[in-house]
């Protein structure tokens, strides 16, 4: 009897220290992969505890995913050391989802008699640039605006040119735009700036940095122009699908609460707050496990999600407000 008890204790101990070792390795890899540097030991300890807490959430969710009870998988990413309210305030919140109607030239309504394909992916047609990373700055609105403009410029000229988010970040704060740099902005206002300014610089001439600076727009380095701004009929997913199929990648705003630990698959949840992030819809399709989805380009680097992309449920009552504030420019 005694021998059995000892044996059991031993087995338990071995298991505990093993999973602790595994956890230590994961923590160290996380810090290396995402270049995490903490100010001091107490900050480091706090972040480690939050990482551990989030790892439990991720692991439990993934057990349900493996059992077929979830439509998307979670994983470690650059936000695994953040509490959910920190993720919402520090990472999201860069979007002002108010639409200034005076900036809109046209409303796109579905014609209904257009036959659209069952799946679309503008990456395959060469209309989408590489996945970028907004860094520590609430500049999602600039990335979404640039993304839809890059697509329209490509469709018109055949040239896929990376355009400058930094140009938008630096130059849309004052009158008459009133964006707030890294603390928030509107997608339509960014496009409206390009229209009024008669152009936006290329990313090569005006590279990104996750900090607002003085406006350094240079008319010699223009990569694209905007002639007018089109808004998709709000909250109408069939209008959005038709626009994505026939026009190109479309900038949208979403509530990104469920994106904190996203790794892959189709997010099929409900959103109850408000739009707090801007992204680019580059296509749509159907997944046997996750159902109908929108294919979404994010601006959190290509280690995030599915090589920088997220798939979000489509035809599920405008899930997370994805069709509420959708726009693209005419070039
Ligand atoms: C450690 O760093 C955190 C975050 O920068 C700071 O808030 C805190 O005051 C620091 N603590 C000490 C003891 O320096
Ligand atoms: C959002 O945009 C609206 C319309 O331009 C503006 O009135 C409001 O102050 C902005 N909100 C923030 C938080 O910047």
């Amino acid at each position: 009897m005694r021998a059995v008890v000892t044996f059991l204790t031993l087995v338990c101990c071995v298991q505990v220290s093993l999973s602790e070792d595994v956890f230590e390795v994961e923590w160290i890899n996380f810090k290396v992969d995402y270049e995490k540097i903490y100010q001091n030991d107490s900050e480091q300890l706090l972040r480690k505890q939050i990482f551990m807490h989030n790892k439990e959430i991720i692991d439990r969710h993934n057990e349900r995913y493996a059992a077929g009870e979830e439509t998307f998988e979670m994983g470690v990413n650059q936000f695994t050391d953040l509490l959910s309210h920190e993720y919402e305030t520090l990472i999201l919140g860069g979007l002002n989802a108010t639409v200034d109607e005076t900036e809109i030239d046209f409303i796109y309504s579905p014609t209904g008699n257009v036959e659209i394909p069952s799946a679309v992916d503008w990456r395959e047609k060469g209309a989408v640039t590489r996945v970028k990373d907004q860094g520590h700055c609430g500049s999602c609105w600039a990335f979404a605006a640039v993304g839809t403009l890059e697509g329209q410029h490509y469709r018109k000229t055949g040239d896929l040119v990376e355009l400058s988010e930094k140009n938008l970040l630096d130059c849309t704060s004052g009158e008459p735009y009133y964006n707030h740099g890294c603390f928030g902005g509107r997608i339509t206002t960014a496009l409206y700036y390009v229209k009024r300014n008669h152009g936006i610089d290329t990313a090569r001439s005006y590279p990104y940095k996750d900090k607002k600076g003085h406006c350094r727009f240079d008319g010699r380095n223009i990569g694209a122009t905007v002639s007018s701004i089109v808004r998709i009929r709000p909250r109408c997913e069939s209008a959005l699908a038709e626009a994505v199929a026939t026009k190109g990648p479309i900038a949208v705003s979403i509530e990104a609460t469920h994106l904190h630990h996203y790794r892959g698959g189709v997010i099929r949840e409900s959103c109850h707050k408000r739009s707090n992030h801007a992204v680019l819809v580059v296509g749509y399709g159907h997944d046997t496990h996750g159902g109908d989805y929108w294919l979404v380009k994010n601006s959190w680097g290509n280690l995030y999600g599915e090589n920088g992309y997220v798939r979000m449920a489509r035809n599920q009552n405008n899930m997370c407000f994805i069709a509420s504030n959708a726009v693209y420019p005419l070039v």
Side-chain angles (χ1 to χ4, degrees), residues 96 98 180 186:
N96 182 341
T98 314
H180 297 285
R186 290 172 301 274

Side-chain angles (χ1 to χ4, degrees), residues 171-187:
C171 306
T172 63
S173 289
E175 200 205 341
Y177 309 110
Y178 304 113
N179 275 345
H180 297 285
C182 289
F183 299 98
R186 290 172 301 274
I187 303 167

